Amino acid sequence: MARDLAVHRSVGVRPLGGVGAGSRTEVVRKYFERTPPPAHKRNAVLVLSLACIGVMSAAGMLVTHHSSLALGTALLTLVPLAQGVRLMATYRHQYAAAEPKPTDALMDELLSADLRRAADRALQRLGITLDELELRSRDVDPLARGGSRRLADQGRGAIAVFGPTPHAVGRIGLDRKWRFATYRIMVICPTGHHLGIYQCDLDLATGRRYRERTDEYHYDDVVAIRTTTTAAPDLTIGVLDASALHRMWLRGTLYRQLQIIVSSGDRSSIIVGITDEDERGNNIPLQESGIDAVIEAVRRTLRTKKGGIVPST
């Protein structure tokens, strides 16, 4: 846990606390907070410089015994002086709220720790033990493509996948991956007799979970595991670019969704990819959760349990 909560020293951020700790909340919010552009500081300095010139001019007039003109100049100087002080105070307040930013690696470590807690919570809520799992996280991609583990890998634990919640705020990191302030987590727990599904939303700033939901399906009732790419008129992603200099909103986007569908028509679903509708080839690269390997592994398990092919599209 200490490793998961370590902070990169280069950004000067103090060590984080546990779930709900104020230090964690402050650091994570800095990551998604807009950093004011340097031009804002330059504008404040310019206005203050003009005010200083006015003050020096008024002082020169006093020396040359032009007291009335000096008074008028001094009064006129009060306007840019007050404006400059206000602009500088605003810039410093916004900068302190956004900097220093935590590293991309720290954000991934926080999410990884939260995913572990969610996986443990899933087993608890579903009343399942590790020994009852027919398919574990380590079975999804045992070769660990590229020599690295999936961010959501739980080893002997349950399979976890994640994606942004609707209306999440996101940001492109320096590694060109997107990270979000709120996530939806799905934990998939196949046992010898049924398929358990746990879902929750995660607030990364606090580490707290909400909107928990559990579903348990008999294998015969699972009719499809599929991914679909459809329009999402209700999906709004607030996006900060890599330098956090501006925010844009992706509306009416296309999203790729993992769905587990049962015979009653009920389904468990989670967003696993986003595409800009105006530029169909512009896929937003999310943090790697190994979703394709997860889908294939779960499908294999269901085929074995059902003695045939699970329909998918």
Side-chain angles (χ1 to χ4, degrees):
M1 185 64 67
R3 179 185 62 81
D4 294 324
L5 299 181
V7 180
H8 197 288
R9 295 183 182 275
S10 65
V11 298
V13 183
R14 62 182 178 274
L16 304 184
V19 174
S23 56
R24 169 181 174 145
T25 300
E26 178 185 355
V27 168
V28 173
R29 285 180 178 171
K30 282 178 183 288
Y31 187 85
F32 295 102
E33 187 64 38
R34 177 181 181 272
T35 299
H40 288 187
K41 183 178 182 179
R42 290 196 296 268
N43 291 340
V45 171
L46 177 60
V47 174
L48 287 173
S49 298
L50 292 175
C52 289
I53 293 173
V55 170
M56 289 187 291
S57 297
M61 293 173 188
L62 283 176
V63 172
T64 57
H65 306 291
H66 293 83
S67 57
S68 297
L69 188 57
L71 178 60
T73 301
L75 290 176
L76 289 175
T77 301
L78 291 177
V79 175
L81 179 62
Q83 184 180 14
V85 170
R86 180 182 60 81
L87 289 174
M88 184 59 74
T90 299
Y91 172 82
R92 288 176 173 172
H93 174 75
Q94 292 177 343
Y95 188 87
E99 297 290 342
K101 293 192 182 301
T103 63
D104 296 333
L106 172 62
M107 302 299 289
D108 288 347
E109 289 173 355
L110 286 174
L111 178 58
S112 179
D114 290 335
L115 289 169
R116 283 203 301 275
R117 283 190 286 268
D120 292 341
R121 175 67 170 171
L123 296 179
Q124 178 187 2
R125 286 292 306 273
L126 291 166
I128 298 173
T129 65
L130 285 175
D131 292 336
E132 291 179 287
L133 291 175
E134 293 280 309
L135 181 67
R136 295 177 172 82
S137 183
R138 67 185 181 189
D139 301 324
V140 167
D141 190 5
L143 298 180
R145 293 184 181 92
S148 60
R149 297 172 57 190
R150 292 176 297 111
L151 181 59
D153 185 24
Q154 304 299 316
R156 291 185 64 248
I159 298 169
V161 295
F162 61 93
T165 62
H167 315 297
V169 172
R171 177 186 164 216
I172 301 176
L174 297 178
D175 59 0
R176 307 306 298 170
K177 293 180 181 178
W178 289 73
R179 293 169 178 83
F180 296 90
T182 52
Y183 287 94
R184 185 152 294 165
I185 299 172
M186 177 188 289
V187 183
I188 304 171
C189 304
T191 72
H193 306 288
H194 71 284
L195 179 67
I197 302 291
Y198 167 87
Q199 288 181 281
C200 69
D201 289 350
L202 169 72
D203 180 357
L204 193 62
T206 63
R208 291 196 173 99
R209 299 177 299 272
Y210 55 101
R211 293 188 185 134
E212 289 186 311
R213 168 182 167 178
T214 58
D215 295 285
E216 297 180 76
Y217 305 128
H218 292 291
Y219 287 116
D220 288 341
D221 293 330
V222 180
V223 297
I225 292 183
R226 69 184 183 186
T227 58
T228 60
T229 301
T230 56
D234 59 340
L235 179 67
T236 304
I237 302 295
V239 177
L240 295 175
D241 69 3
S243 57
L245 295 181
H246 72 274
R247 178 173 293 179
M248 61 182 177
W249 295 93
L250 300 180
R251 291 187 173 90
T253 56
L254 301 175
Y255 69 98
R256 185 185 182 207
Q257 191 177 45
L258 167 65
Q259 297 180 335
I260 300 176
I261 306 172
V262 295
S263 55
S264 65
D266 291 340
R267 63 192 62 197
S268 299
S269 61
I270 187 171
I271 296 172
V272 294
I274 305 173
T275 303
D276 189 339
E277 191 173 24
D278 295 329
E279 300 181 31
R280 297 295 181 91
N282 183 23
N283 291 325
I284 296 178
L286 306 181
Q287 294 150 297
E288 179 57 51
S289 65
I291 186 62
D292 292 323
V294 167
I295 293 171
E296 181 56 34
V298 174
R299 281 176 177 165
R300 287 197 307 267
T301 298
L302 290 179
R303 288 170 190 152
T304 300
K305 294 297 182 182
K306 293 168 68 69
I309 301 297
V310 178
S312 61
T313 57

